Amino acid sequence: MRHQKALNIKTLLETSDLAQVMRKGLALNELNQQLQTRFPKQFKGLFRVANFTQDKLIIETANATIRQALLFQQAELLALIQEMQPEISKLNIKVSPHLFSL
């Protein structure tokens, strides 16, 4: 420990795994807020952005009825998403019953 080079704590925190997780969480939250305002009003508050990969966006909803309604409009919703995130080419909608139970 005595012979190790001193590290800049700011650099260490910015490049850590925790910092990457925090940045992705903030990006998910921001995208969720944007989609809540851009998706049709009947879906507002009934879904959330769960994750995204290079080309896929994963959306969670509390029940199968909302999922089915989102699937019926999947092409239009994907076009809205691509206006903000052009790299997204797939939409995956999952049911998560515990989503709004808190």
Side-chain angles (χ1 to χ4, degrees):
M1 190 91 168
R2 268 165 72 180
H3 302 290
Q4 288 183 343
K5 183 180 175 184
L7 298 173
N8 182 346
I9 190 72
K10 183 178 178 187
T11 304
L12 182 64
L13 288 176
E14 288 175 350
T15 59
S16 71
D17 291 338
L18 177 60
Q20 292 174 3
V21 170
M22 288 177 56
R23 277 193 290 275
K24 185 165 185 178
L26 291 171
L28 284 172
N29 188 42
E30 183 179 334
L31 183 58
N32 187 52
Q33 289 176 352
Q34 291 173 347
L35 292 182
Q36 291 291 339
T37 60
R38 298 194 76 174
F39 272 26
K41 294 191 186 304
Q42 68 262 29
F43 299 123
K44 186 173 183 174
L46 299 176
F47 70 93
R48 77 167 182 190
V49 175
N51 201 0
F52 61 86
T53 61
Q54 289 179 338
D55 66 340
K56 181 170 49 173
L57 182 70
I58 302 169
I59 293 178
E60 288 183 335
T61 185
N63 61 55
T65 305
I66 302 300
R67 179 184 181 273
Q68 203 59 35
L70 289 168
L71 286 174
F72 282 134
Q73 296 187 17
Q74 185 171 3
E76 294 86 2
L77 298 176
L78 188 56
L80 283 173
I81 293 166
Q82 288 175 332
E83 289 176 9
M84 296 178 292
Q85 302 284 329
E87 66 276 4
I88 301 292
S89 62
K90 300 173 191 166
L91 188 59
N92 187 349
I93 304 169
K94 296 182 176 186
V95 175
S96 181
H98 66 279
L99 185 61
F100 298 112
S101 64
L102 300 177

